Amino acid sequence: MTSDNQYSEAYVWIWLPNETEPVVAGKLETDNGNLLFNYGKSYLERVNDTIPAIPIYEPELPLEAGTLPLLDGLSMPGCIRDGAPDAWGRRVIINKKLGMKGADTDTTALDELTYLLESGSDRIGALDFQQSPSHYEPRSATNVALEELLDSAARVEKGVPLTPELDIALYHGTAIGGARPKALVEDNNRKYVAKFSSSTDIYSVVKAEFIAMRLADIVGLNVAPVKLETAANRDVLLVERFDREKTKQGWTRKSMVSALTLFALDDMMARYASYETLAEIIRYRFTDPKDALIELFSRLTFNVLCGNTDDHARNHAAFWNGQDLSLTPAYDICPQGRSGNEASHAMQISGNNNLSQLKTCLEAAHSFLISEQDARAIFEKQKQAIETNWDTVCNEAQLSEIDRKLFWGRQFLNPYSIGE
């Protein structure tokens, strides 16, 4: 580290497709507030190997020698930023490094390279970041009981320093995206993201997400499997990871990029992200574009029907195998609270219109190569499935009558959203 306690470089390690051990791909270096990347010579020379090198993400970081230029408006490659922690992980790291000061410290107190090198290694996707170009040392922890992780999360929210053991356990999940308390757990050869309730919740947010994810599966969306657990009398949502696969040789990792990276935007420019643009990218760059367009449109309409307006560009992602893109299963389908009927989505739907209404989706259907008749059929099928399975899924979640009345007609099947 430099004298001002900041890192100046980091080595990017990658798990190539179907491999269980990483190789070093290249180096990140700071440059006047930017992070620049260049591939290592040994990685570029792998092109003709049995297990050839792949671009971390093309067109952003093509397999070329030398320092690669940043895309316009970016301060670091988007595909690298996808591997960095978001709000929750940054709070955990600040708590670890700054102790109680973390409760009142803005996350900009630490730079991006620090967040990359100080976050856990089991991050989403197929990348990790190390100080060494030759020796890979994972930053990870063994499984810790959910009760202890819940206690740790509560301490971080209050800015209270953690015990060394819990510090390590919660720190393991710092690279997982999102703003809410979470950690990583492993059970029966499966890996999960554990999402906890927050001290600021005024309703059962965890159960609301469980219900939405289960209903999404029932209506036919490709969605990450979920389980609802209880620990220390609090709800915990376990979301199965789809970027990991257990083999006889060990865990493989699937490379992923967020829709924000597909758009070549950063977080400050996310307001320009739109479903229509994502549909255009799918048409030209994805495998099975017709099926992917129907899936994305169906996710959009389901978001409207369940009140998930936090469908920003980091909550959509694609697998990347070095040549092709394909949609990942849906995740983070979490109904949002409403004070009134009108609501707006995080991404634009039709032109500059992001109002959470099915008629807005109808206006955009042609961008997904879907006729108005087929779009209406998708709406109706989803609406009927939600109505038919509502009580069953709420019973699965052991949702109270108070919360059922709160969710129904407000988040789920809100009259403003389903009206035309």
Side-chain angles (χ1 to χ4, degrees):
M1 296 182 80
T2 59
S3 58
D4 62 354
N5 201 38
Q6 299 289 311
Y7 295 98
S8 60
E9 63 181 28
Y11 291 91
V12 180
W13 291 66
I14 186 171
W15 278 255
L16 293 170
N18 303 314
E19 292 299 296
T20 58
E21 298 293 336
V23 296
V24 67
K27 183 167 68 171
L28 285 168
E29 292 184 282
T30 58
D31 180 62
N32 294 321
N34 295 328
L35 273 183
L36 303 180
F37 177 80
N38 67 281
Y39 285 106
K41 181 180 178 182
S42 62
Y43 189 73
L44 292 174
E45 291 174 347
R46 296 181 65 99
V47 173
N48 297 317
D49 284 7
T50 305
I51 306 169
I54 65 170
I56 293 176
Y57 171 61
E58 204 167 28
E60 188 173 43
L61 294 180
L63 282 177
E64 297 175 1
T67 300
L68 299 175
L70 293 169
L71 299 182
D72 289 346
L74 300 186
S75 60
M76 65 186 296
C79 56
I80 299 295
R81 175 62 180 84
D82 285 340
D86 284 334
W88 171 253
R90 292 174 187 236
R91 289 183 64 184
V92 176
I93 292 169
I94 285 176
N95 184 288
K96 175 183 172 65
K97 294 184 70 66
L98 305 177
M100 291 189 69
K101 289 183 290 185
D104 302 313
T105 300
D106 191 283
T107 54
T108 58
L110 302 175
D111 68 335
E112 289 295 336
L113 206 54
T114 299
Y115 284 122
L116 291 174
L117 286 168
E118 292 285 342
S119 49
S121 291
D122 200 10
R123 64 190 74 243
I124 295 296
L127 300 180
D128 194 22
F129 308 94
Q130 299 275 311
Q131 294 184 64
S132 170
S134 56
H135 176 67
Y136 179 78
E137 185 175 345
R139 299 179 295 278
S140 60
T142 55
N143 267 358
V144 173
L146 288 174
E147 289 83 357
E148 295 179 90
L149 290 170
L150 280 163
D151 179 64
S152 301
R155 284 172 172 263
V156 168
E157 287 193 297
K158 296 175 183 176
V160 178
L162 301 174
T163 64
E165 295 78 17
L166 294 181
D167 190 348
I168 293 172
L170 204 61
Y171 169 73
H172 178 41
T174 49
I176 303 300
R180 292 183 57 79
K182 59 181 62 67
L184 296 177
V185 297
E186 185 176 332
D187 182 48
N188 292 326
N189 291 325
R190 297 182 186 274
K191 292 196 174 192
Y192 299 90
V193 176
K195 295 187 171 185
F196 310 133
S197 57
S198 169
S199 60
T200 59
D201 290 346
I202 58 175
Y203 61 92
S204 300
V205 175
V206 168
K207 287 186 176 180
E209 183 170 352
F210 170 81
I211 291 167
M213 293 285 283
R214 285 284 296 114
L215 287 171
D217 178 57
I218 290 170
V219 304
L221 297 183
N222 178 18
V223 61
V226 293
K227 298 193 299 184
L228 195 61
E229 302 283 353
T230 302
N233 294 318
R234 293 172 67 186
D235 299 315
V236 181
L237 179 68
L238 297 181
V239 184
E240 188 173 335
R241 294 184 64 173
F242 45 75
D243 62 333
R244 297 290 185 269
E245 184 177 346
K246 186 68 176 288
T247 68
K248 292 181 179 179
Q249 291 73 37
W251 288 98
T252 63
R253 304 189 179 197
K254 294 184 179 181
S255 180
M256 289 170 49
V257 288
S258 70
L260 199 63
T261 293
L262 298 179
F263 293 138
L265 300 173
D266 66 8
D267 291 284
M268 299 300 293
M269 299 185 287
R271 64 186 181 277
Y272 298 112
S274 77
Y275 278 97
E276 289 179 313
T277 303
L278 184 53
E280 183 178 6
I281 293 170
I282 288 174
R283 291 200 303 271
Y284 290 104
R285 300 196 56 208
F286 275 53
T287 57
D288 301 318
K290 184 176 180 180
D291 289 343
L293 287 168
I294 293 172
E295 173 72 16
L296 180 63
F297 184 77
S298 300
R299 293 181 188 184
L300 166 59
T301 58
F302 184 80
N303 283 337
V304 170
L305 290 170
C306 78
N308 175 35
T309 53
D310 191 34
D311 51 346
H312 56 78
R314 287 202 184 282
N315 281 344
H316 299 275
F319 291 124
W320 164 253
N321 64 9
Q323 292 184 320
D324 304 307
L325 293 161
S326 57
L327 279 178
T328 70
Y331 57 95
D332 283 357
I333 303 176
C334 187
Q336 304 298 303
R338 297 189 186 207
S339 55
N341 280 329
E342 184 172 315
S344 300
H345 285 264
M347 292 211 314
Q348 297 165 359
I349 299 172
S350 175
N352 294 324
N353 187 352
N354 65 344
L355 290 178
S356 184
Q357 292 184 294
L358 291 181
K359 66 179 182 181
T360 314
C361 301
L362 276 178
E363 294 171 3
H366 65 91
S367 296
F368 298 81
L369 307 183
I370 296 174
S371 68
E372 180 176 334
Q373 181 179 0
D374 289 342
R376 290 181 182 277
I378 290 171
F379 302 159
E380 189 58 32
K381 176 187 174 183
Q382 291 184 346
K383 180 173 176 290
Q384 288 182 1
I386 292 171
E387 290 173 338
T388 301
N389 294 281
W390 173 254
D391 285 333
T392 300
V393 176
C394 286
N395 289 339
E396 277 184 54
Q398 298 183 336
L399 190 69
S400 70
E401 285 300 321
I402 292 175
D403 277 341
R404 290 188 197 210
K405 291 177 180 178
L406 176 68
F407 295 157
W408 188 256
R410 184 172 296 184
Q411 280 94 331
F412 292 86
L413 303 190
N414 185 289
Y416 170 83
S417 295
I418 62 178
E420 296 183 29

